[in-house]
Amino acid sequence: MDPREYEPEIREFGDPPDNPDEVVLVELKLTKVMQLYNTLDPAPFYEKELDPDAEEYIYSWFEEIPFDQKVRIIIYLPVELISHEVTENMRKAVKNHFLYLRGLAEHSLSVQMKRERKNMVIGILFLFLCLTISQHANEIFEQGSLAELIAESLIIIGWVALWRPVQFFLYDWWPVRKRRKLCRKIAETELIVTSQKAGI
């Protein structure tokens, strides 16, 4: 059997859940409806941006949960504030907000990809130029330690020019991709509004 079958799976969102059928609850306890929303946003409730603290709280919880784990968002409100309209507005607001963040992450990733691909081409051409000059340094400059220093410096400079695009394709694009996927999961997660007394 191929020994590679024994290699552990590399998972973007950490270890798989112990019980994928178990539902993990992300709970928010509010004393009033407007705590969920950005009060400076004049849009209707279901189109409103979420309060930055609420957004960060929800996102940080989802970051800690394995991606394959089932999740449910529970918002606790005083019973007198709960209605069908409030519940639907909160569901739409959370969904719309995180779909919007997903769109921003997707756009950011697309723009960065295009920019770094151009930078990669420029870096490769510059490296080729540096290597070419380095190989002929003894002919261009007088032979000796100065020519060797210039040749070695050009090689280093050429490789340094590739550092930024290489860093992006190896490391920097993964967090943006993760944010895009995580925002989509949050937007698709079931949300329940209930009273603090009743629980679930």
Side-chain angles (χ1 to χ4, degrees):
M1 186 176 291
D2 191 334
R4 288 178 296 178
E5 294 184 22
Y6 292 101
E7 294 178 1
E9 181 184 4
I10 298 175
R11 298 179 57 83
E12 183 181 351
F13 293 90
D15 296 331
D18 295 332
N19 182 4
D21 293 327
E22 179 185 355
V23 179
V24 175
L25 303 182
V26 175
E27 302 174 288
L28 293 84
K29 294 183 179 180
L30 309 180
T31 57
K32 54 185 179 180
V33 173
M34 290 305 298
Q35 282 182 284
L36 182 67
Y37 303 106
N38 182 348
T39 55
L40 298 179
D41 185 359
F45 281 143
Y46 63 88
E47 296 178 355
K48 273 184 173 293
E49 292 184 1
L50 298 189
D51 179 83
D53 290 336
E55 174 198 317
E56 178 62 26
Y57 178 82
I58 295 171
Y59 187 86
S60 62
W61 263 105
F62 271 79
E63 272 192 310
E64 297 178 8
I65 300 170
F67 191 76
D68 298 336
Q69 183 76 60
K70 293 181 180 179
V71 187
R72 182 179 295 135
I73 299 172
I74 307 293
I75 297 179
Y76 295 102
L77 276 176
V79 65
E80 64 273 12
L81 299 180
I82 298 176
S83 66
H84 177 74
E85 182 181 6
V86 167
T87 299
E88 287 303 308
N89 284 340
M90 285 187 166
R91 286 172 179 167
K92 290 178 181 179
V94 171
K95 180 178 181 179
N96 291 342
H97 184 82
F98 282 99
L99 284 179
Y100 172 70
L101 293 182
R102 177 184 179 272
L104 289 181
E106 190 167 355
H107 176 71
S108 174
L109 184 60
S110 175
V111 170
Q112 290 181 59
M113 281 284 190
K114 291 179 181 178
R115 181 177 64 243
E116 296 304 334
R117 279 197 291 265
K118 291 180 180 178
N119 290 342
M120 178 69 79
V121 172
I122 294 172
I124 291 173
L125 293 175
F126 183 72
L127 174 61
F128 177 77
L129 177 64
C130 289
L131 292 175
T132 301
I133 297 176
S134 175
Q135 291 174 354
H136 298 87
N138 288 330
E139 300 173 10
I140 300 174
F141 307 98
E142 295 183 3
Q143 292 187 0
S145 58
L146 177 60
E148 293 179 3
L149 176 62
I150 293 174
E152 294 296 327
S153 298
L154 286 172
I155 294 174
I156 294 173
I157 292 171
W159 283 111
V160 169
L162 278 175
W163 171 251
R164 177 56 191 165
V166 169
Q167 179 183 355
F168 173 78
F169 286 111
L170 285 179
Y171 306 109
D172 292 352
W173 75 291
W174 290 101
V176 183
R177 180 175 178 271
K178 176 182 177 180
R179 182 171 180 82
R180 181 184 64 180
K181 293 179 66 176
L182 207 52
C183 285
R184 179 177 180 179
K185 179 179 180 179
I186 297 172
E188 295 174 349
T189 296
E190 179 185 10
L191 186 148
I192 295 176
V193 178
T194 186
S195 71
Q196 297 179 15
K197 292 182 179 180
I200 57 170

